[in-house]
Amino acid sequence: MTPAEQGTSRLTRVPGVLYGGDYNPEQWPEDVWAEDAKLMREAGVTMVTVGVFSWARLQPGPDTWDFPWFDRLLDLLHAHGVAVDLATATASPPAWLVRAHPEILPVTADGVRLEFGSRQHYCPSSPAYRAAALRLTRTLAARYADHPALALWHIHNEYGDHVTECFCPRSADHFRIWLTHRYETIDALNHAWGTAFWSQRYGTYDEIEPPRTVPGPVNPTQLLDWRRFCSDVLLECHRAEREVLKELSPDIPATTNFMSMFKALDYWKWAEHEDLVSDDAYPDPADPRAHVNAALNYDLMRSLKGGRPWLLLEQAPSAVSWRPVNVPKKPGVQRLWSLQALARGADGIMYFQWRASRAGAEKYHSALLPHRGTASRGWQETVRFGAELARLGEVTGTTTPADVAIVLDWDSWWALESDDHPSARMRWRDLLHPWYAALHARGVTTDFVPPHADLTGYRAVLAPNLHLLRPEHAARITAYVQGGGHLVCGPFSGVVDGHDHIHDGGAPGPLRDVLGVGVDEFWPVPDGQAVRLTSGAEATLWTEWTETEGPETEIVDTYASGELTGRPAVTRHPHGTGTAWYVSAHLGDGIGPVLDDALRAAGVRPVLDVPEGVEATVRTGEPGTYLFVLNHSDHDTRTPLTGAFAAGGTDLLTGAAVHGHLALGPLGAAVLRIATDSPGENQK
Ligand code: GAL
């Protein structure tokens, strides 16, 4: 058995860690394909994504199809042992289609119709687009369902990329239909949208339009429903294609590539319609903390299907081409960041793209096979890393345990970032990031959960912000604490209900009992200013005038400068057999000590005590337990192997036995198969 055959990936029938990338052969003469296939083999590529932007080539006219070239391509890949992730090709409608049906082109909130000449130029509500997309999907599925190369269906590409909403008349109709399903009566809609305000009352559904550009502030609930609708309408397109694939090709898993933590799509809902979660991730090599943000996104991807392995479907081998300045990955970074995805539950590492384009908007984007060809540094890394991944097959199918969960709710994110709030500076990612970074720095692995999740398995649950909170979700959180859980809740939470109406009695609304505080008034901090706390922490962006409610609420920290001096800033409240912390300010990196208090009380321990800049995570299951240790710093590190890892193990990357401590150079990494008590039992 080759090492790659030792583990069977649970994502597809392809064994081992999936390795490959987007392959766009239509950009190349056919004689290049043979070289591609040979080089893929040399690099250890096991799967490539084909067809993503092939619509115009596969269907050159309304009733003309051109499949022989695609047949030859799939046969060639199969002959070289490369499996295919076959795209439905529906993300870039051909010119003939948009000229025949100009209404396919999307329209902005200002009424501008976006022209042909880029990609993703479609209105998701357009019947002509949908019919053409489904016809293409059906034709592809019928032709290739039984092709031996086919291992995965790739539905569309990055739903919501470039265009997340369309304001054309057809979309407006569709929005009205969606609203009638949601509210049934117009009275219910009027109530939900608070249309008594500013004379916005509607007499019939026909009077409603999408939230186009308006003279002043738009109705916030109209906007919130619009965001829900836009996520749902793209999901409808996705589900329609998926149904065709399930009908004609039921044995092949189907996925669509998510875009990490992406505001426009409620990925909790979407993930229910994925056989496996796949992600496109483009951390910026110019950002020294990029790996922390990447960890966050990978934890989300793992969480979207309750911890099941996921697939990193796209990342850049080096530089991208779409930032103002596109810095390459220095040697070792792409390997380290790829292993990071694996460390956080991925079972496949893929890239955009296989061969660097010579023309088009992405000709400066890096590729596994760069313009300079096999002499390039990039190609050498491609081959070297392929060989390394082939040694990691046994980790596939194992999972990444986490004691801590962060609550993420797209509804709340959308409501938080509505206009005309006490401060426009309260952005979900900015609020979340310091909390996640504190956990990351402490070596604590974190899941994400939706607000309706069962929280009972977690030692601690963090809610950096839950601006919109439905009473039923608050009841779940409260029951979790009541039953012994540990909750830390951030500022500006429990403010509005599912209609974006302020909760009775103000914030924290239905969390008042569990938190033991009431918020008297929001006190945002002007730009460039800070408020001191007694502990020495500093609040920026946001503070609140809070009052403890009930004798049991303990004041953990108080404001020590400005108008709120002496008032509670951070509180702790016992509830049932658990404890709830309320943090009324944005503390940025100063959130660490508050989380330490909660993690200590909850008995949360790091995976392993690691030096600064080193990340450790565990994957466990059949056939073993694997400790990933990654050195993101630019200096040598020494990590003692203690606790559950005291027996040491075998580094799958090198085959070396490791005991006592792990020495890693700059950007170094190790994947230790942890020795069991009876030596040799778990060894190959
Ligand atoms: C992704 C997209 C790919 C390619 C890549 C470049 O968003 O799916 O087709 O454009 O970005 O980084």
Side-chain angles (χ1 to χ4, degrees), residues 53 119 157-158 161 257 280 282 314 320 322 352 362 365:
F53 296 109
R119 62 173 173 185
N157 192 62
E158 292 192 338
D161 183 28
N257 41 348
D280 295 354
Y282 290 94
E314 276 186 34
V320 297
W322 39 262
F352 181 87
E362 293 180 331
H365 198 291

Side-chain angles (χ1 to χ4, degrees), residues 257-270:
N257 41 348
F258 289 167
M259 289 181 282
S260 298
M261 190 170 286
F262 179 60
K263 181 176 170 184
L265 302 185
D266 181 345
Y267 282 154
W268 293 122
K269 268 193 179 182
W270 278 69

Side-chain angles (χ1 to χ4, degrees), residues 305-575:
K305 276 192 107 52
R308 301 236 300 270
W310 57 281
L311 170 61
L312 181 56
L313 197 45
E314 276 186 34
Q315 61 167 335
S318 187
V320 297
S321 53
W322 39 262
R323 291 194 172 100
V325 179
N326 299 298
V327 174
K329 291 179 178 168
K330 63 183 178 183
V333 167
Q334 89 81 6
R335 169 187 188 258
L336 182 70
W337 288 4
S338 300
L339 290 172
Q340 186 191 27
L342 221 61
R344 294 183 179 271
D347 273 4
I349 302 296
M350 298 182 58
Y351 300 79
F352 181 87
Q353 63 177 330
W354 163 254
R355 183 184 276 275
S357 301
R358 291 178 66 184
E362 293 180 331
K363 59 182 176 296
Y364 293 109
H365 198 291
S366 60
L368 290 169
L369 180 58
H371 292 134
R372 193 173 165 229
T374 53
S376 59
R377 185 268 289 195
W379 173 252
Q380 281 149 30
E381 287 201 16
T382 299
V383 175
R384 239 191 343 261
F385 189 56
E388 284 197 300
L389 276 189
R391 292 180 214 129
L392 301 182
E394 63 185 271
V395 306
T396 60
T398 57
T399 54
T400 310
D403 283 339
V404 177
I406 292 179
V407 186
L408 162 60
D409 180 11
W410 263 266
D411 259 7
S412 180
W413 184 354
W414 294 329
L416 171 73
E417 297 187 4
S418 204
D419 293 337
D420 303 288
H421 276 198
S423 167
R425 305 285 177 259
M426 297 289 272
R427 315 304 286 180
W428 161 247
R429 284 202 184 87
D430 297 343
L431 301 185
L432 163 69
H433 207 268
W435 292 47
Y436 182 86
L439 295 168
H440 186 267
R442 284 156 180 73
V444 173
T445 311
T446 308
D447 281 346
F448 284 86
V449 289
H452 52 267
D454 176 5
L455 303 173
T456 45
Y458 293 104
R459 288 179 183 270
V461 170
L462 312 184
N465 176 267
L466 272 178
H467 178 67
L468 178 155
L469 185 59
R470 293 187 166 81
E472 62 272 26
H473 296 157
R476 273 186 168 269
I477 293 170
T478 303
Y480 161 75
V481 179
Q482 177 87 30
H486 299 80
L487 168 75
V488 188
C489 181
F492 205 31
S493 290
V495 182
V496 296
D497 66 13
H499 293 321
D500 200 20
H501 296 189
I502 302 286
H503 280 296
D504 259 356
L511 291 178
R512 170 174 275 106
D513 285 351
V514 70
L515 295 174
V517 294
V519 177
D520 189 80
E521 199 168 7
F522 304 125
W523 219 280
V525 180
D527 291 347
Q529 295 186 23
V531 172
R532 260 184 304 107
L533 271 61
T534 308
S535 64
E538 275 204 342
T540 54
L541 311 184
W542 191 265
T543 57
E544 289 170 2
W545 180 315
T546 57
E547 308 262 354
T548 59
E549 291 189 353
E552 287 185 321
T553 311
E554 261 177 86
I555 298 173
V556 176
D557 206 348
T558 46
Y559 292 109
S561 70
E563 288 306 319
L564 303 183
T565 299
R567 301 207 162 273
V570 179
T571 56
R572 180 170 48 210
H573 182 242
H575 186 76

Side-chain angles (χ1 to χ4, degrees), residues 622-662:
E622 274 301 316
T625 295
Y626 303 91
L627 175 68
F628 286 73
V629 188
L630 311 174
N631 179 10
H632 293 279
S633 78
D634 56 7
H635 50 261
D636 291 335
T637 57
R638 190 178 188 277
T639 303
L641 294 172
T642 53
F645 312 111
T650 305
D651 184 353
L652 299 183
L653 294 170
T654 59
V658 181
H659 297 289
H661 75 272
L662 186 63

